[in-house]
């Protein structure tokens, strides 16, 4: 894909959409699990659009994808508001400070209530903080917004298991038609649930 970039950008220059194409490439690189490519695109983007807020937030998230927490925190600290509530939540979660991440994630969800991944992040933070029932409710909302996203479904299954809501968990598992996949996921969820902190909200 990198070799196509000059051609794509040349075409975009004609239509005035270079910035949006760049951001699309960066988002796609992150979605594909290629954070180094995302950062390479960001380096080039910064030369064309220095100081762009969206790109600076994407850099924080790409550094988190790489596991470079110190660099991500430094990049966020350079932003006027620390990158906003979602970024603050991501940084706290990356440090394992799950209970502290709940408040900024809640603010982020209030600001963007239709974003399923923010609700997913909030639910997972609640789950890791021992708030299984609250996590399940957040994750139900996320799954309603994005029914086809496996990571949200799996996090909801984990929250339901941790909250002792086994009937709902089994009903959700039954939507997976492939029996070996369903059985493997059931075992995986049970193993992960056993490693979670004891629920505080049962």
């Amino acid at each position: 894909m990198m070799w196509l970039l000059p051609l794509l950008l040349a075409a975009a220059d004609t239509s005035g959409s270079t910035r949006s194409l760049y951001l699309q490439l960066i988002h796609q690189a992150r979605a594909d699990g290629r954070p180094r490519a995302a950062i390479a695109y960001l380096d080039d983007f910064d030369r064309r659009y220095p100081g762009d807020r969206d790109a600076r937030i994407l850099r924080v998230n790409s550094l988190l994808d790489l596991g470079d927490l110190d660099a991500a925190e430094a990049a966020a600290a350079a932003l006027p508001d620390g990158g906003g509530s979602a970024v603050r939540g991501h940084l706290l979660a990356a440090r394992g400070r799950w209970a502290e991440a709940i408040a900024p994630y809640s603010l982020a969800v209030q600001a963007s209530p239709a974003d399923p991944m923010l609700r997913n992040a909030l639910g997972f933070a609640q789950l890791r903080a021992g708030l299984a029932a609250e996590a399940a409710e957040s994750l139900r909302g996320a799954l309603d917004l994005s029914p086809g996203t496996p990571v949200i479904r799996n996090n909801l299954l984990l929250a339901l298991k941790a909250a002792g809501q086994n009937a709902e968990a089994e009903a959700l598992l039954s939507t997976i038609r492939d029996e070996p996949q369903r059985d493997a996921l059931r075992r995986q969820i049970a193993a992960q649930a056993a490693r979670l902190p004891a629920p505080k909200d049962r």
Side-chain angles (χ1 to χ4, degrees):
M1 185 66 175
M2 289 291 289
W3 64 271
L4 283 174
L5 188 57
L7 295 175
L8 289 169
L9 293 177
D13 281 335
T14 303
S15 62
S17 60
T18 309
R19 179 182 178 278
S20 61
L21 176 59
Y22 248 121
L23 293 176
Q24 181 182 344
L25 288 170
I26 296 162
H27 280 292
Q28 189 60 54
R30 289 192 64 223
D32 291 344
R34 297 182 294 118
R36 290 174 181 82
I39 290 172
Y41 291 143
L42 281 163
D43 289 342
D44 202 24
F45 183 94
D46 286 346
R47 285 191 285 271
R48 295 168 178 261
Y49 304 97
D52 184 275
R53 175 180 167 79
D54 290 341
R56 293 171 75 185
I57 291 174
L58 278 169
R59 184 175 294 278
V60 174
N61 289 327
S62 297
L63 289 166
L64 285 173
D65 294 340
L66 273 177
D68 193 343
L69 305 189
D70 291 339
E73 288 171 343
L79 287 162
D81 60 351
S85 298
V87 168
R88 288 194 293 276
H90 295 336
L91 291 170
L92 289 165
R95 291 291 185 189
R97 295 162 62 181
W98 300 105
E100 294 173 65
I102 291 172
Y105 277 146
S106 296
L107 289 173
V109 168
Q110 290 173 21
S112 301
D115 187 327
M117 297 314 294
L118 285 178
R119 289 181 181 271
N120 179 69
L122 171 60
F124 194 72
Q126 291 168 326
L127 179 60
R128 293 298 301 268
L131 303 174
E134 291 183 25
E137 186 57 31
S138 296
L139 291 161
R140 288 186 190 102
L143 193 62
D144 281 351
L145 288 165
S146 186
T149 304
V151 67
I152 297 176
R153 178 202 64 202
N154 295 350
N155 284 340
L156 176 54
L157 284 167
L158 185 57
L160 292 170
K161 181 72 174 176
Q165 299 176 26
N166 296 320
E168 186 178 347
E170 281 300 318
L172 182 55
L173 273 169
S174 71
T175 63
I176 302 173
R177 295 185 178 182
D178 184 280
E179 186 173 353
Q181 180 187 358
R182 183 171 65 245
D183 291 343
L185 182 57
R186 182 184 287 108
R187 291 191 297 271
Q188 181 183 357
I189 293 297
Q192 291 183 10
R195 294 194 292 269
L196 288 172
K200 300 174 182 177
D201 54 2
R202 275 197 189 178

